[in-house]
């Protein structure tokens, strides 16, 4: 399953993502991972949520992000929730160019039972069709 948190810049998407991650971590049977490109929110997350700043791993671009997420999914069969804050920002592309990433997330989710929650800086009416189905 892919969940989407969308809205304009400054609308509180990251705050909502952190709240969801913290709430789910209390009842999760598996692991939760929070992926972003800044350390700004590191201390806002519950200890049970694995925090990863992709800049520590030199993840830049769509292909690198896809490989990184696949590696996280592959390294532990207990992953239950993966949160990605600012998928377009991390990939360095516009949201409308990220069909491949969303296809990959959907496949990983279906094959492994992982729930992905992703933030996108975009108004609902501007979401591409391949993303809007998750809104």
């Amino acid at each position: 399953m892919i969940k989407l948190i969308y809205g304009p810049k400054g609308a509180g998407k990251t705050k909502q993502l952190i709240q969801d991650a913290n709430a789910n971590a209390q009842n999760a049977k598996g692991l939760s991972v929070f992926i972003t490109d800044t350390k700004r929110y590191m201390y806002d997350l519950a200890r049970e949520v694995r925090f990863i700043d992709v800049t520590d791993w030199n993840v830049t671009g769509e292909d690198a992000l896809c490989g990184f997420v696949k590696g996280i999914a592959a390294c532990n069969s207990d992953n239950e929730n993966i949160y990605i804050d600012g998928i377009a920002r991390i990939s360095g592309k516009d949201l409308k160019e990220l069909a491949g990433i969303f296809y990959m997330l959907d496949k990983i989710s279906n094959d492994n039972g992982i729930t992905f929650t992703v933030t996108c800086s975009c108004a609902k009416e501007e979401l591409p069709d391949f993303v809007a189905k998750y809104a």
Side-chain angles (χ1 to χ4, degrees):
M1 168 189 297
I2 298 176
K3 297 178 183 177
L4 193 66
I5 300 174
Y6 58 89
K9 186 173 172 113
K13 297 177 299 294
T14 299
K15 185 175 181 178
Q16 183 180 348
L17 187 67
I18 290 169
Q19 289 172 346
D20 289 354
N22 288 340
N24 288 336
Q26 294 177 1
N27 300 320
K29 294 177 182 168
L31 301 175
S32 295
V33 179
F34 189 95
I35 300 170
T36 189
D37 61 350
T38 178
K39 291 181 179 31
R40 182 175 176 189
Y41 308 107
M42 181 187 327
Y43 299 109
D44 295 335
L45 288 164
R47 292 185 62 185
E48 296 81 16
V49 180
R50 168 87 192 271
F51 177 86
I52 300 175
D53 178 354
V54 295
T55 61
D56 291 341
W57 300 94
N58 297 321
V59 175
T60 55
E62 179 180 4
D63 291 338
L65 180 59
C66 284
F68 193 76
V69 171
K70 287 177 184 178
I72 290 170
C75 77
N76 201 324
S77 61
D78 290 345
N79 288 315
E80 185 173 336
N81 297 292
I82 297 178
Y83 304 90
I84 304 174
D85 184 33
I87 194 165
R89 185 180 64 242
I90 294 170
S91 68
K93 291 190 172 184
D94 289 333
L95 184 60
K96 62 185 173 197
E97 300 176 80
L98 297 180
I101 287 181
F102 279 90
Y103 173 77
M104 182 261 319
L105 293 177
D106 196 48
K107 180 159 179 37
I108 290 173
S109 176
N110 291 332
D111 292 350
N112 299 287
I114 299 171
T115 299
F116 288 93
T117 307
V118 179
T119 63
C120 300
S121 291
C122 190
K124 184 172 185 172
E125 56 275 358
E126 296 173 2
L127 290 171
D129 291 339
F130 63 88
V131 177
K133 66 183 181 181
Y134 304 114

